[in-house]
């Protein structure tokens, strides 16, 4: 029954049908929850964004493992320790950072790679205008942010490690161009290691990733619904009946 509730919310979001009859305050952060549930996709409270991020990361790591790439999740110690306590950009120590959600010791032509996952949304108020002009503007902008944050890309390049940001739009499920190139290359590795042909492997992988994304979006919406009596009362009749 829980999976059915996820599907109902997912279909309503895909068809842009209102999930609630009116706006209300999010019970976790006191920001405004819109009738479509878009706020739940970017709400900073409750740990939903972290869980969604980690599930996408784990799916990638499993696929890399099947492809014999020996992935390491959240690998520590990529940056050399700084005994003098020097701070970079006045913010943080490099030796305490873990820039690789998934670290690949052997990637393109035998080089090392650090994969950094991020989920953004083109429906955020600060990027909505740009999203109207280009559907990929939100993911492209966030990809650049991932590269330049604390000089992540440049610092890893100095160590001979290629930084590959994998950014996806939470609403549409669209991955940024860099990610799409990576997924294609990963599926080629799968094929070489006895998997299906590249096209079939990519189709199946994209399905897995999109199911994780949309399921966690629906979970975040329903969590905020069940935490608020007012929100429950404003649910569309079909969803309210299913949850009850």
């Amino acid at each position: 029954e829980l999976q059915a509730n996820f599907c109902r919310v997912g279909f309503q979001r895909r068809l842009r049908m209102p999930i609630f009859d009116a706006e209300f305050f999010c019970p976790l952060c006191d920001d405004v929850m819109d009738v479509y549930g878009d706020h739940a996709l970017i709400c900073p409270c409750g740990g939903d964004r972290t869980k969604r991020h980690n599930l996408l990361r784990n799916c990638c790591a499993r696929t890399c493992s099947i492809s014999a790439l020996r992935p390491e999740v959240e690998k520590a110690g990529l940056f050399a320790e700084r005994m003098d306590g020097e701070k970079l950009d006045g913010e943080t120590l490099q030796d305490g950072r873990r820039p690789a959600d998934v670290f690949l010791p052997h990637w393109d032509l035998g080089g090392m790679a650090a994969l950094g996952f991020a989920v953004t949304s083109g429906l955020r108020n600060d990027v909505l205008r740009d999203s109207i002009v280009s559907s990929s503007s939100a993911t492209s902008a966030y990809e650049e942010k991932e590269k330049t944050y604390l000089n992540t890309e440049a610092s890893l390049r100095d160590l001979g490690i290629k930084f590959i940001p994998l950014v996806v739009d939470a609403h549409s499920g669209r991955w940024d161009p860099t990610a799409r190139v990576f997924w294609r290359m990963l599926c080629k590795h799968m094929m070489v290691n006895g998997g299906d042909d590249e096209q079939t492997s990519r189709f199946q992988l994209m399905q897995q990733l999109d199911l994780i994304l949309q399921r966690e979006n629906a979970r975040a919406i329903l969590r905020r619904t069940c935490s608020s009596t007012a929100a429950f009362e404003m649910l569309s009749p079909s969803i309210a009946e299913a949850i009850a």
Side-chain angles (χ1 to χ4, degrees), residues 85-232:
E86 177 186 352
K87 289 191 176 183
L88 300 177
D89 297 335
E91 293 189 39
T92 186
L93 290 171
Q94 283 281 48
D95 59 292
R97 294 178 58 202
R98 296 191 178 189
D101 289 318
V102 178
F103 176 74
L104 302 178
H106 301 286
W107 177 236
D108 189 20
L109 298 178
M112 297 178 288
L115 312 181
F117 280 84
V119 183
T120 185
S121 174
L123 298 177
R124 293 185 354 242
N125 291 332
D126 59 328
V127 298
L128 184 58
R129 185 182 297 274
D130 292 334
S131 296
I132 294 173
V133 177
S134 172
S135 60
S136 62
S137 61
T139 54
S140 296
Y142 209 93
E143 176 184 343
E144 191 61 29
K145 179 181 178 181
E146 286 281 289
K147 290 179 179 179
T148 57
Y149 177 69
L150 296 179
N151 293 320
T152 297
E153 183 179 43
S155 299
L156 288 171
R157 184 169 56 243
D158 291 342
L159 298 173
I161 303 173
K162 183 178 182 180
F163 180 62
I164 305 177
L166 305 175
V167 185
V168 64
D169 187 291
H171 174 65
S172 67
R174 179 184 177 88
W175 292 87
D176 69 281
T178 299
R180 292 200 296 274
V181 171
F182 172 80
W183 296 131
R184 284 198 297 271
M185 293 182 66
L186 178 58
C187 290
K188 288 181 179 179
H189 278 276
M190 292 176 64
M191 182 176 64
V192 169
N193 286 276
D196 295 323
D197 62 272
E198 179 192 344
Q199 185 174 359
T200 301
S201 296
R202 190 164 73 246
F203 176 76
Q204 293 174 344
L205 178 58
M206 290 299 100
Q207 270 194 330
Q208 291 178 41
L209 292 168
D210 196 52
L211 282 172
I212 290 171
L213 185 69
Q214 302 306 332
R215 183 188 64 212
E216 294 310 307
N217 289 343
R219 187 194 306 276
I221 292 172
L222 291 175
R223 277 195 65 202
R224 285 153 181 77
T225 301
C226 296
S227 299
S228 169
T229 302
F232 185 85

